[in-house]
Amino acid sequence: MIVVNLDVMMAKRKMSLSQLSEKVDITLANLSILKNNKAKAVRFSTLEAICAALDCQPGDILEFVPDPPEGA
């Protein structure tokens, strides 16, 4: 499963969702969906804009978390 750590990077950069929305030119609703791990996909252009605004790498925002083994 891919986990979106957008809230962590925003906190590190002391940036609110509305500030990021203005910098990246993405609606608050769409950023909120991404931040809350509800997004099914993200465009590279969106990821690039977020990384530029937060001065980070894609790996700072996206994290792969393996599913637990069956029976665990």
Side-chain angles (χ1 to χ4, degrees):
M1 152 167 146
I2 301 294
V3 176
V4 180
N5 294 313
L6 184 57
D7 53 344
V8 174
M9 284 309 301
M10 288 170 48
K12 285 182 180 179
R13 300 297 189 250
K14 296 179 174 47
M15 189 177 295
S16 71
L17 199 61
S18 58
Q19 289 171 318
L20 183 60
S21 173
E22 287 177 16
K23 284 186 173 234
V24 180
D25 197 29
I26 296 173
T27 65
L28 278 171
N30 284 338
L31 270 180
S32 183
I33 288 168
L34 187 59
K35 185 179 88 124
N36 294 316
N37 284 301
K38 302 289 185 203
K40 299 293 181 197
V42 62
R43 291 185 176 142
F44 281 135
S45 59
T46 301
L47 185 58
E48 182 179 349
I50 290 170
C51 287
L54 294 174
D55 189 29
C56 66
Q57 294 294 313
D60 295 328
I61 297 172
L62 302 176
E63 175 184 6
F64 173 71
V65 178
D67 291 330
E70 297 232 359

